[in-house]
Amino acid sequence: MRDMRALVIDDSKAMRMILGRLLKTVGFEVSEACHGRDALEKLGDGPPVDLALVDWNMPEMNGLDFVKAVRGSGNHAAMKLMMVTTESELARVQAAIEAGADEYVMKPFTPEVLKDKLVQMGFGA
Amino acid sequence: MSAALLRAIDPAPVAWAAAVGSALEQVASTALELPVTRIGAVGAPEGPVLGAYIAVLTPGESLQIGIVADAASSETLVRALLRIAESEELAPGDVPDAFGEIANMVGGVAKAAMSVQIGVVGLGLPLVTTGLIAAREGIELGYEAVEVGAARVTLVVARSRLR
Ligand SMILES: [Mg+2]
């Protein structure tokens, strides 16, 4: 079985570092993108990705527009999308889920919360 | 909602200050794993500070929510967020970036708490800079001193009413 691959999309390098480290502990090979457009480019020429963690507030292309673009394209249909964001109002969560996000984690989070979500999504033990 | 109605239900600056303080408590207990002691309202901090600010735009007002600290205290918070020990080197740029993300989380939590009352419309991107928001007419500034682990920080709420 090939390694699981994850893409961390966040405009904060600190957050990419934190999320990337956590994903590596559960066995992911991790790459990074600093906004939605950067992520679309990296998905375009890279190997298939199993999971993308998506921030909401980013320059160039925000996380919601990224989710809409990916789900609207029909490409990467097997890729799970998890929003990881400070946007926590119910309306925002609903908008992300309607656009095609699979999971939603609110910042700030503890590593345990994120790991539990990954397990619920079928990643990690 | 009409401007008159908004004025009538204007959440006092203390409501924002309380929301921002509790937001920092929540961020500290989860993302930083540091204890928080709220010292209370203070004047503007003196000396060189790093400030991370996030804009919140509501139907009736424009706010900047900020966290400011001196170099040692901002580094303490950043090391806690990134889980980087004192003995390890921090890469250049890590402090402003991570400090901005702390402000982003504090702003996001405060915004969520306040939106229940007033229907917040937007959150901006964090801005990290040296120094404070200058006092000027039309801006209401509030500061609260907080200890986060060994760091001493000041929370800033700057409000201006939209007319
Ligand atoms: Mg962001």
Side-chain angles (χ1 to χ4, degrees):
Chain A
M1 203 182 109
R2 71 171 177 83
D3 282 348
M4 295 183 296
R5 286 198 186 86
L7 177 61
V8 178
I9 312 163
D10 199 304
D11 56 327
S12 164
K13 183 184 165 213
M15 203 40 71
R16 296 197 301 272
M17 190 191 292
I18 292 164
L19 292 169
R21 208 160 44 195
L22 211 141
L23 287 166
K24 283 174 191 158
T25 65
V26 291
F28 280 95
E29 201 173 288
V30 181
S31 53
E32 298 181 359
C34 58
H35 51 69
R37 200 171 310 285
D38 185 25
L40 288 177
E41 278 164 24
K42 283 179 175 152
L43 284 172
D45 30 72
V49 167
D50 305 279
L51 168 71
L53 302 193
V54 189
D55 183 25
W56 190 303
N57 292 307
M58 297 182 284
E60 302 283 334
M61 180 189 266
N62 70 34
L64 183 64
D65 288 344
F66 168 80
V67 170
K68 287 178 180 166
V70 168
R71 291 309 190 215
S73 74
N75 299 327
H76 316 286
M79 177 172 63
K80 299 279 188 207
L81 300 177
M82 183 196 279
M83 300 297 294
V84 183
T85 169
T86 54
E87 294 287 348
S88 58
E89 285 96 318
L90 193 57
R92 294 295 173 110
V93 179
Q94 278 166 346
I97 301 291
E98 270 163 33
D102 299 283
E103 262 298 349
Y104 205 101
V105 172
M106 285 155 198
K107 293 179 189 170
F109 53 82
T110 59
E112 290 69 34
V113 164
L114 201 92
K115 281 184 184 165
D116 286 351
K117 289 274 186 188
L118 291 173
V119 171
Q120 284 168 28
M121 293 171 88
F123 298 112
Chain B
M1 205 180 286
S2 77
L5 185 54
L6 274 169
R7 264 192 294 280
I9 58 163
D10 178 22
V14 289
W16 272 106
V20 172
S22 343
L24 179 64
E25 285 177 332
Q26 192 181 323
V27 171
S29 67
T30 51
L32 309 179
E33 295 191 276
L34 288 175
V36 168
T37 309
R38 310 240 327 237
I39 311 291
V42 289
E46 282 166 27
V49 288
L50 187 67
Y53 300 93
I54 185 132
V56 179
L57 191 66
T58 82
E61 63 192 335
S62 153
L63 292 110
Q64 290 285 338
I65 288 172
I67 174 166
V68 305
D70 66 15
S73 286
S74 50
E75 191 179 315
T76 298
L77 296 194
V78 165
R79 286 184 179 279
L81 178 69
L82 300 177
R83 308 289 195 271
I84 292 180
E86 295 277 349
S87 54
E88 288 172 75
E89 197 89 16
L90 277 173
D94 275 0
V95 171
D97 174 82
F99 201 51
E101 188 57 27
I102 292 171
N104 183 39
M105 289 190 281
V106 170
V109 173
K111 168 192 125 122
M114 291 299 287
S115 70
V116 176
Q117 303 172 43
I118 56 167
V120 173
V121 292
L123 192 68
L125 295 173
L127 174 78
V128 182
T129 182
T130 49
L132 298 164
I133 292 173
R136 62 182 156 86
E137 208 189 318
I139 293 194
E140 203 175 77
L141 278 160
Y143 303 97
E144 181 184 343
V146 183
E147 280 170 8
V148 185
R152 170 88 182 224
V153 307
T154 306
L155 293 172
V156 183
V157 177
R159 296 167 88 225
S160 51
R161 303 301 308 267
L162 304 173
R163 277 160 236 279

